[in-house]
Amino acid sequence: MKGVSCIITAAGKNRRMREDLQSKGMTITHKLLLEINRDPIINFTIKKALQTDLNECIVVLGHFMDELYPLLNDVDDKRLHIIENSDVNVELSQTLLNGVINSNYDYCLCLAGDQPTITTETMQNLMDQLINSPRPENTVTILSRGKTGYLDSALGLGMPFACHSSLLKSYLHGEEDNLNPILRRMVADGVELYGVPGQNELELININRYDDYLKVRKMWEKKKRE
């Protein structure tokens, strides 16, 4: 069906944040429960995605799903759907695959739940660039980490990205891996990779460590004062 499904992965082990909080003698908390602008990170990310032209938003849960469910119930939007990994001990590739096989639309915008700094503008640009590309069925649009436009390498690249759902299904099926090796195989097979420029350098930050969280929170506090 024509349209865009947003897939947000929120199934990780929270390992690095747990390590940081424990080393600081702080209460162990899932990183997606930490707040930015009075919203848990996961809800903050979802709400920004829902401001784009997407048709549905699928959040894939795994580890710590019991902690995340109550927060997600606070997002009031009929486009939001929550699904679970049947086995929580899987790699990112299988979490994404679970999302795409439960999607209802031709295109997928893939985000990580710990990327609240991705702007709505960048999300929309990823979708628009894909849909308007010469060969959307054979194209991946991805947030640039330097060079923009058509790329000959996936080195250092990851989420967020957008592509046709059939392309994602074909490359994720049977894989137990992180995203970058799969992107490299796509490029080697002739899939066109297009780097979309970001709006600011903070879009490249995943909140894995506590210092990442403090940096992002400081940015939002500064933004509110301006």
Side-chain angles (χ1 to χ4, degrees):
M1 187 184 303
K2 289 292 184 183
V4 179
S5 301
C6 178
I7 299 171
I8 298 180
T9 58
K13 296 178 181 179
N14 194 47
R15 177 180 55 80
R16 284 171 283 188
M17 185 63 74
R18 289 202 321 268
E19 290 173 353
D20 280 3
L21 294 175
Q22 186 173 18
S23 70
K24 296 175 184 294
M26 299 174 66
T27 302
I28 304 302
T29 304
H30 194 292
K31 61 182 177 181
L32 297 181
L33 276 66
L34 297 173
E35 292 189 351
I36 294 178
N37 203 31
R38 298 183 179 180
D39 253 333
I41 285 172
I42 183 61
N43 287 9
F44 191 84
T45 304
I46 292 169
K47 289 178 181 179
K48 289 172 79 174
L50 289 169
Q51 292 173 23
T52 69
D53 294 337
L54 59 84
N55 299 89
E56 67 178 355
C57 182
I58 299 171
V59 178
V60 188
L61 302 180
H63 290 279
F64 306 102
M65 66 177 72
D66 290 342
E67 297 178 37
L68 295 173
Y69 261 118
L71 303 177
L72 298 174
N73 290 333
D74 291 337
V75 181
D76 185 18
D77 194 300
K78 293 181 179 179
R79 292 173 294 169
L80 179 62
H81 309 292
I82 304 168
I83 64 172
E84 303 172 5
N85 285 332
S86 57
D87 179 0
V88 297
N89 293 308
V90 295
E91 298 293 340
L92 176 60
S93 57
Q94 289 302 300
T95 297
L96 281 173
L97 180 60
N98 191 15
V100 72
I101 62 178
N102 282 282
S103 66
N104 295 298
Y105 296 92
D106 289 344
Y107 302 104
C108 291
L109 170 67
C110 299
L111 306 172
D114 61 4
Q115 290 182 310
T117 55
I118 304 299
T119 62
T120 299
E121 290 82 2
T122 291
M123 295 179 195
Q124 190 66 53
N125 288 341
L126 288 167
M127 294 186 289
D128 292 344
Q129 185 64 49
L130 172 65
I131 293 169
N132 295 318
S133 65
R135 296 199 300 162
E137 293 81 6
N138 193 57
T139 299
V140 175
T141 56
I142 195 162
L143 177 60
S144 168
R145 267 72 170 173
K147 183 181 176 182
T148 60
Y150 286 102
L151 308 174
D152 56 10
S153 170
L155 182 65
L157 298 179
M159 291 201 284
F161 71 97
C163 69
H164 198 279
S165 59
S166 62
L167 187 66
L168 204 52
K169 289 175 186 176
S170 65
Y171 276 91
L172 294 178
H173 183 72
E175 292 292 339
E176 282 284 352
D177 214 335
N178 289 320
L179 179 61
N180 187 260
I182 295 169
L183 290 172
R184 294 203 302 266
R185 285 195 287 276
M186 287 182 176
V187 173
D189 291 343
V191 174
E192 294 180 337
L193 191 63
Y194 189 96
V196 172
Q199 303 297 309
N200 58 67
E201 64 179 15
L202 284 171
E203 286 191 298
L204 303 180
I205 297 178
N206 290 59
I207 298 180
N208 291 315
R209 297 287 187 182
Y210 191 67
D211 285 347
D212 299 330
Y213 167 64
L214 293 178
K215 185 175 183 179
V216 171
R217 191 178 68 178
K218 182 178 180 181
M219 177 198 73
W220 279 103
E221 290 173 352
K222 180 181 178 182
K223 184 177 180 180
K224 284 194 298 183
R225 293 193 300 267
E226 292 175 349

